[in-house]
Amino acid sequence: MRITILMTFALLCVGTALAQDTSPSSGQRQEARPLADDIALDAYLDALAQISPAAREGADAYLEAFKRRCGRALGAIELRRAIAEGSGDPVLMAMMRAAAQRDTAMLQRLSGTVACKGGR
Protein backbone atom coordinates (compact mmCIF):
# COMPACT_ATOMS: atom_id res chain seq x y z
CA MET A 1 0.00 0.00 0.00
CA ARG A 2 2.79 2.42 0.89
CA ILE A 3 4.51 1.78 -2.47
CA THR A 4 1.26 2.59 -4.28
CA ILE A 5 0.78 5.88 -2.44
CA LEU A 6 4.39 6.94 -2.93
CA MET A 7 4.37 5.94 -6.60
CA THR A 8 1.11 7.76 -7.25
CA PHE A 9 2.40 10.89 -5.54
CA ALA A 10 5.68 10.75 -7.47
CA LEU A 11 3.89 10.26 -10.79
CA LEU A 12 1.61 13.20 -10.12
CA CYS A 13 4.69 15.29 -9.35
CA VAL A 14 6.23 14.31 -12.69
CA GLY A 15 3.04 15.24 -14.51
CA THR A 16 2.86 18.59 -12.75
CA ALA A 17 6.54 19.37 -13.24
CA LEU A 18 6.40 18.52 -16.92
CA ALA A 19 3.29 20.64 -17.40
CA GLN A 20 4.97 23.71 -15.90
CA ASP A 21 7.63 25.86 -17.45
CA THR A 22 10.33 28.05 -16.04
CA SER A 23 11.30 31.10 -18.02
CA PRO A 24 15.09 31.24 -18.35
CA SER A 25 15.08 35.02 -18.44
CA SER A 26 13.02 35.66 -15.33
CA GLY A 27 13.44 32.40 -13.46
CA GLN A 28 9.77 32.55 -12.51
CA ARG A 29 7.36 29.72 -13.02
CA GLN A 30 4.61 30.17 -15.56
CA GLU A 31 1.12 28.78 -15.11
CA ALA A 32 0.60 25.06 -15.65
CA ARG A 33 -0.39 24.24 -19.21
CA PRO A 34 -2.86 21.57 -20.23
CA LEU A 35 -1.32 18.25 -21.23
CA ALA A 36 0.12 18.45 -24.71
CA ASP A 37 2.56 16.48 -26.81
CA ASP A 38 5.30 18.93 -25.83
CA ILE A 39 7.50 16.20 -24.40
CA ALA A 40 8.82 13.14 -26.18
CA LEU A 41 7.76 9.75 -24.89
CA ASP A 42 11.39 8.79 -24.18
CA ALA A 43 11.91 11.94 -22.11
CA TYR A 44 8.77 11.21 -20.11
CA LEU A 45 9.84 7.60 -19.51
CA ASP A 46 13.28 8.82 -18.42
CA ALA A 47 11.62 11.14 -15.90
CA LEU A 48 9.59 8.21 -14.57
CA ALA A 49 12.76 6.13 -14.24
CA GLN A 50 14.40 8.86 -12.17
CA ILE A 51 11.48 8.85 -9.74
CA SER A 52 10.93 5.11 -9.71
CA PRO A 53 12.59 2.49 -11.91
CA ALA A 54 9.56 0.26 -11.24
CA ALA A 55 7.25 2.95 -12.63
CA ARG A 56 9.32 3.00 -15.81
CA GLU A 57 9.33 -0.81 -16.03
CA GLY A 58 5.57 -0.96 -15.53
CA ALA A 59 5.01 1.78 -18.09
CA ASP A 60 7.25 -0.03 -20.60
CA ALA A 61 5.28 -3.25 -20.08
CA TYR A 62 2.01 -1.32 -20.51
CA LEU A 63 3.26 0.30 -23.73
CA GLU A 64 4.32 -3.08 -25.15
CA ALA A 65 1.01 -4.70 -24.22
CA PHE A 66 -0.94 -1.80 -25.72
CA LYS A 67 0.96 -2.03 -29.00
CA ARG A 68 0.52 -5.81 -29.17
CA ARG A 69 -3.20 -5.74 -28.31
CA CYS A 70 -4.22 -2.56 -30.10
CA GLY A 71 -1.98 -2.58 -33.16
CA ARG A 72 -0.57 0.89 -32.58
CA ALA A 73 1.82 2.66 -30.27
CA LEU A 74 0.48 4.65 -27.35
CA GLY A 75 1.48 8.30 -27.57
CA ALA A 76 3.14 10.37 -24.86
CA ILE A 77 -0.03 12.36 -24.16
CA GLU A 78 -2.05 9.15 -23.81
CA LEU A 79 0.47 7.69 -21.36
CA ARG A 80 0.55 10.91 -19.37
CA ARG A 81 -3.23 10.86 -19.12
CA ALA A 82 -3.23 7.17 -18.16
CA ILE A 83 -0.94 8.08 -15.27
CA ALA A 84 -2.34 11.44 -14.19
CA GLU A 85 -6.11 11.37 -14.67
CA GLY A 86 -7.99 10.46 -11.53
CA SER A 87 -6.16 7.66 -9.75
CA GLY A 88 -4.54 6.59 -13.00
CA ASP A 89 -5.43 3.72 -15.30
CA PRO A 90 -5.95 0.78 -12.93
CA VAL A 91 -4.14 -1.68 -15.21
CA LEU A 92 -1.15 0.65 -15.61
CA MET A 93 -0.97 1.28 -11.86
CA ALA A 94 -1.18 -2.47 -11.20
CA MET A 95 1.60 -3.09 -13.74
CA MET A 96 3.80 -0.55 -11.97
CA ARG A 97 3.06 -2.26 -8.64
CA ALA A 98 3.84 -5.69 -10.15
CA ALA A 99 7.12 -4.34 -11.55
CA ALA A 100 8.02 -2.98 -8.10
CA GLN A 101 7.31 -6.41 -6.61
CA ARG A 102 9.14 -8.19 -9.45
CA ASP A 103 5.97 -10.20 -10.13
CA THR A 104 6.47 -11.21 -13.77
CA ALA A 105 3.47 -13.56 -13.73
CA MET A 106 1.19 -10.69 -12.70
CA LEU A 107 2.72 -8.45 -15.38
CA GLN A 108 1.90 -11.08 -17.99
CA ARG A 109 -1.68 -11.46 -16.75
CA LEU A 110 -2.19 -7.71 -16.69
CA SER A 111 -0.78 -7.37 -20.22
CA GLY A 112 -3.80 -9.29 -21.45
CA THR A 113 -6.20 -6.79 -19.89
CA VAL A 114 -4.84 -3.55 -21.37
CA ALA A 115 -7.74 -1.73 -23.04
CA CYS A 116 -7.49 -0.15 -26.48
CA LYS A 117 -8.53 3.46 -26.13
CA GLY A 118 -8.92 5.83 -29.04
CA GLY A 119 -8.07 3.12 -31.55
CA ARG A 120 -9.03 -0.39 -32.50
Side-chain angles (χ1 to χ4, degrees), residues 63-118:
L63 291 169
E64 284 179 35
F66 185 91
K67 188 170 187 175
R68 189 174 49 255
R69 288 181 53 82
C70 305
R72 69 176 185 87
L74 193 70
I77 188 72
E78 294 170 294
L79 179 61
R80 289 171 67 191
R81 283 190 177 124
I83 289 173
E85 287 185 349
S87 297
D89 179 293
V91 174
L92 174 56
M93 296 298 122
M95 290 179 95
M96 289 178 175
R97 216 171 11 264
Q101 296 168 348
R102 301 281 182 234
D103 189 343
T104 55
M106 180 59 78
L107 275 172
Q108 282 186 319
R109 281 192 298 277
L110 289 165
S111 292
T113 65
V114 171
C116 298
K117 300 171 190 125

Side-chain angles (χ1 to χ4, degrees), residues 10-66:
L11 295 173
L12 290 174
C13 290
V14 167
T16 302
L18 293 174
Q20 294 178 342
D21 191 19
T22 301
S23 172
S25 60
S26 68
Q28 294 178 354
R29 226 172 246 238
Q30 297 175 357
E31 283 191 38
R33 298 180 303 228
L35 292 177
D37 275 329
D38 60 351
I39 184 167
L41 182 58
D42 287 338
Y44 187 69
L45 291 171
D46 288 344
L48 284 179
Q50 293 211 2
I51 291 171
S52 168
R56 167 71 189 252
E57 291 170 30
D60 283 337
Y62 184 85
L63 291 169
E64 284 179 35
F66 185 91

